[in-house]
DNA sequence: TTGTAGGCGTTATCAA
DNA sequence: TTGATAACGCCTACAA
């Protein structure tokens, strides 16, 4: 059933059908009824492509994430998709993985879908070699790019980032204040947010008067056992009295290490993880975790995007230029549970 | 840059450009080079809408799920999207929530996007009042509907379901064999798979010679604490020696109950959960869990879909009719960890 | 208030 | 091997 079929069946022109389905007011009640009756009887869903072709916008946002099964990103996708749909936008999702070529290909694919904007969720879209970000910068010339927890300084690229640095710094200081003197930091990714977190550790140490060269920062594979085994080795080398991890997954790993080693938590060893996902409260004992305030960040992303895509109009109907900050920072929040003596 | 711009710049017709970008073989090397040079220089992404309009297919699958932040569904989405993209299909995702009107609206929306097929992920799309499934049945007249862990008997609707019943039944029997005599089953959803699981409990009990009226089956809110408190109350009424839960989330809740109550796991109480998600192995002690083999199920969904959408051609180039079973059952698998004495 | 006709960017068909 | 040209389904001036 297309618009011609409907118009024929209703005995009116396609223009009238178009007017009815688009809720124009210059249609007689009689015509409207004729058309609606036919639609109700036969059913009809306008073809969004044809519509988009004519109008130049499909009201679609392209979302890229490296792995939608990652708890953190899964939540992000949920918040983003739900919020955008409320605003009349649909989402095409690409789970790009971590491979550069794949990310780039996904971006191209979204371009071909004429998305109105891109959302790059997660900090894995900022490449080390800044030349490799060129595809994003070029793409932004056509449509805005929103980065969730990533930052690239370019035209039409906007960022909403969690204050990872501040969150980790606070955690470090809190641990210090609670008596921890031998803290080890475990991370598993050299992404944008990964480096911010390390900065946070360093800054926290500085404020506590700890020399940077005595800091213990180790990198491990992001799995429960990978982290647990890494810590086991490190503990053999030299014991520590507290662990900060860059994710809840790693936090669980730290917990497993403590259990296997027979260390009491938080008496013998304190643990602070990052993200405050379900994993943190599922753990036993429950993990103290830095809440990255993901929902807030996602909501900001959507609000900014709507502002960009539907700028308010001035009296003459021209879009007023909107000023949108290139980088929005969302404060993190420490959620204290059972793995610390705060 | 559209196809006209490219054709002008290359000094050939749009037909030639079209041939080049679609990899047709009846193009001279000279023409191909001219076109490719121009594309390389100016960049060009074909407009997928126009393409879809012309071809009648957008190579897009609509995926509906109630909540992408649910660990189980998040994994499903990941598997599905990745696999489909490998096959040249893109996905539009709708997180529909649990509200009927919303589910229906999302379905309509996907229809308007001319998706080539629908995937309904999760068992929340089978309504109790079968009249409410009509929108799915009608939709299936146009494009195939694949249900992951749901079943509706209708034309062009296909199901891939995990053998929830068998999985739960095995768990019950295993518990019985390990000495459990007072098992309680906790669930939180009356979905299609929810009812299958209850059947599994009943069947397991029957095989163990336990009268159905002595079975304890309770329903609670699907949160860690909701389940923990429910079990606390139940235990006050009458102690039990083992718990089976319909999800890992509830399994964690059971674990929390045991810890708070001071019960030793698995000595005093055994726990078996369902899904074998990350939560199961994150728990302390680690949860014995029924693996629903989600990846396998998703892979089946994709394979069936590809068969349906791209049927093999016979000698004359006509699609051969493919016979595809309406319902595929994937066997579940019990993963034994620390919360049982198996 | 209604209908006609042109355009959106491709693909596909048919001549040349 | 190429190039015109007609779909594809809708929107929107513009004309009636």
């Amino acid at each position: 059933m297309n618009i011609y079929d409907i118009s024929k069946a209703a005995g009116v022109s396609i223009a009238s059908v178009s007017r009815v389905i688009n809720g124009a007011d210059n249609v007689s009640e009689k015509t409207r009824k004729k058309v609606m009756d036919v639609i109700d009887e036969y059913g009809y869903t306008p073809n969004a492509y044809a519509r988009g072709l004519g109008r130049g916008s499909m009201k679609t946002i392209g979302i890229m994430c490296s792995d939608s099964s990652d708890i953190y990103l899964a939540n992000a996708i949920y918040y983003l998709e739900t919020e955008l749909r409320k605003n009349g936008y649909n989402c095409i999702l690409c789970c790009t993985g971590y491979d550069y070529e794949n990310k780039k290909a996904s971006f191209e694919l979204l371009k071909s879908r004429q998305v109105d904007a891109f959302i790059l969720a997660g900090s894995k879209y900022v490449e080390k070699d800044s030349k490799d970000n060129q595809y994003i910068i070029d793409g932004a010339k056509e449509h805005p790019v929103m980065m969730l927890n990533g930052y690239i300084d370019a035209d039409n690229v906007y960022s909403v980032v969690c204050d990872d640095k501040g969150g980790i710094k606070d955690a470090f200081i809190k641990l210090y204040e609670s008596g921890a003197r031998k803290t080890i930091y475990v991370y598993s990714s050299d992404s944008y947010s990964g480096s911010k977190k390390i900065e946070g550790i360093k800054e926290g140490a500085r404020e506590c008067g700890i020399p940077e060269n005595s800091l213990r920062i180790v990198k491990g594979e992001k799995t429960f056992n990978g982290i647990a085994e890494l810590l086991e080795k490190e503990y053999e080398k030299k014991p520590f009295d507290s662990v900060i991890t860059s994710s809840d997954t790693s936090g669980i790993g730290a917990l497993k290490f403590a259990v296997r080693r027979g260390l009491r938590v938080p008496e013998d060893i304190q643990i602070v993880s990052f993200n405050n996902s379900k994993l943190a409260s599922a753990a036993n004992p429950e993990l103290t975790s830095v809440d990255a305030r993901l929902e807030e960040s996602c909501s900001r992303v959507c609000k900014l995007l709507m502002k960009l895509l539907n700028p308010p109009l001035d009296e003459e109907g021209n879009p007023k230029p909107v000023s949108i900050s290139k980088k929005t920072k969302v404060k993190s929040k420490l959620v204290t549970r059972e793995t610390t003596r705060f």
Side-chain angles (χ1 to χ4, degrees), chain A residues 11 47 61 95 104 136 158 183 191-192 201 227 233 243 316:
Chain A
N47 182 317
I61 309 293
C95 304
K104 207 169 151 183
I136 298 177
Y158 302 87
T183 299
S191 63
Y192 174 80
I201 290 286
I227 298 299
K233 266 187 228 148
V243 184
E316 294 164 21

Side-chain angles (χ1 to χ4, degrees), chain A residues 83-139:
Chain A
E83 183 74 15
L84 290 172
R85 195 142 41 82
K86 267 188 211 154
N87 285 281
Y89 284 82
N90 276 98
C91 296
I92 296 185
L93 175 69
C94 285
C95 304
T96 64
Y98 301 97
D99 179 51
Y100 176 66
E101 287 306 326
N102 237 319
K103 296 188 220 170
K104 207 169 151 183
S106 295
F107 195 88
E108 287 304 321
L109 189 150
L110 290 175
K111 262 166 71 176
S112 82
R113 288 300 213 244
Q114 317 294 117
V115 295
D116 297 314
F118 303 88
I119 298 179
L120 274 44
S123 58
K124 299 295 189 303
Y125 294 102
V126 184
E127 307 294 335
K128 268 175 225 115
D129 185 345
S130 68
K131 269 178 214 153
D132 288 340
N133 295 324
Q134 196 58 42
Y135 77 98
I136 298 177
I137 299 172
D138 288 342

Side-chain angles (χ1 to χ4, degrees), chain A residues 183-229:
Chain A
T183 299
I184 188 167
Y185 175 65
V186 192
Y187 72 106
S188 43
S189 156
D190 292 305
S191 63
Y192 174 80
S193 100
S195 62
K196 288 291 166 192
K197 288 171 186 166
I198 291 184
E199 282 179 31
I201 290 286
K202 291 186 177 164
E203 213 163 274
R206 200 156 44 243
E207 291 197 13
C208 296
I210 298 173
E212 190 166 311
N213 58 20
S214 76
L215 273 180
R216 286 179 79 179
I217 298 181
V218 295
K219 180 175 176 177
E221 187 203 354
K222 194 183 175 183
T223 61
F224 301 149
N225 280 329
I227 298 299
E229 284 159 20

Side-chain angles (χ1 to χ4, degrees), chain A residues 175 180 182 184 231 235 239-243 254-255 257-259 261-272 285 338-341:
Chain A
L175 279 175
K182 288 173 288 180
I184 188 167
L231 286 177
Y235 201 83
F240 37 83
D241 60 12
S242 50
V243 184
L255 215 41
F257 149 75
V259 169
R261 183 89 198 179
L263 296 170
R264 291 168 309 162
V265 182
E267 292 82 355
D268 302 329
I269 188 168
Q270 299 190 73
I271 302 173
V272 179
E338 302 170 346
T339 55
T340 50
R341 300 191 304 265

Side-chain angles (χ1 to χ4, degrees), chain A residues 2-267:
Chain A
N2 63 29
I3 202 168
Y4 288 98
D5 300 324
I6 301 293
S7 83
K8 215 172 292 168
V12 301
S13 74
I14 59 159
S16 290
V17 178
S18 175
R19 287 186 196 105
V20 170
I21 58 184
N22 289 296
D25 48 5
N26 52 344
V27 192
S28 72
E29 204 38 59
K30 212 171 88 192
T31 306
R32 184 184 310 279
K33 188 170 166 6
K34 271 197 288 190
V35 172
M36 287 312 295
D37 284 349
V38 172
I39 290 183
D40 286 342
E41 186 178 350
Y42 297 106
Y44 164 65
T45 353
N47 182 317
Y49 305 139
R51 208 172 228 181
L53 242 196
R55 286 209 277 231
S57 157
M58 276 290 285
K59 293 264 184 186
T60 301
I61 309 293
I63 299 183
M64 288 172 46
C65 75
S66 37
D67 177 359
S68 73
S69 69
D70 177 281
I71 298 188
Y72 180 79
L73 292 174
N75 276 297
I77 290 166
Y78 178 75
Y79 294 137
L80 292 170
E81 198 276 336
T82 309
E83 183 74 15
L84 290 172
R85 195 142 41 82
K86 267 188 211 154
N87 285 281
Y89 284 82
N90 276 98
C91 296
I92 296 185
L93 175 69
C94 285
C95 304
T96 64
Y98 301 97
D99 179 51
Y100 176 66
E101 287 306 326
N102 237 319
K103 296 188 220 170
K104 207 169 151 183
S106 295
F107 195 88
E108 287 304 321
L109 189 150
L110 290 175
K111 262 166 71 176
S112 82
R113 288 300 213 244
Q114 317 294 117
V115 295
D116 297 314
F118 303 88
I119 298 179
L120 274 44
S123 58
K124 299 295 189 303
Y125 294 102
V126 184
E127 307 294 335
K128 268 175 225 115
D129 185 345
S130 68
K131 269 178 214 153
D132 288 340
N133 295 324
Q134 196 58 42
Y135 77 98
I136 298 177
I137 299 172
D138 288 342
K141 284 172 189 156
E142 301 287 331
H143 299 288
V145 174
M146 310 292 307
M147 306 195 71
L148 178 63
N149 278 344
Y151 178 72
I152 290 177
D153 183 19
D155 222 43
N156 214 20
V157 177
Y158 302 87
S159 292
V160 174
V161 296
C162 167
D163 181 19
D164 297 321
K165 185 165 82 174
I168 288 278
K169 185 181 111 182
D170 291 350
F172 189 96
I173 295 174
K174 276 272 208 173
L175 279 175
Y176 186 86
E177 288 172 353
S178 74
R181 286 298 175 273
K182 288 173 288 180
T183 299
I184 188 167
Y185 175 65
V186 192
Y187 72 106
S188 43
S189 156
D190 292 305
S191 63
Y192 174 80
S193 100
S195 62
K196 288 291 166 192
K197 288 171 186 166
I198 291 184
E199 282 179 31
I201 290 286
K202 291 186 177 164
E203 213 163 274
R206 200 156 44 243
E207 291 197 13
C208 296
I210 298 173
E212 190 166 311
N213 58 20
S214 76
L215 273 180
R216 286 179 79 179
I217 298 181
V218 295
K219 180 175 176 177
E221 187 203 354
K222 194 183 175 183
T223 61
F224 301 149
N225 280 329
I227 298 299
E229 284 159 20
L230 171 71
L231 286 177
E232 183 64 36
K233 266 187 228 148
E234 289 292 327
Y235 201 83
E236 291 289 343
K237 280 191 216 160
K238 197 170 141 201
F240 37 83
D241 60 12
S242 50
V243 184
I244 299 179
T245 66
S246 62
S247 70
D248 289 327
T249 300
S250 302
I252 296 280
L255 215 41
K256 289 195 184 295
F257 149 75
V259 169
R260 290 176 198 168
R261 183 89 198 179
L263 296 170
R264 291 168 309 162
V265 182
E267 292 82 355

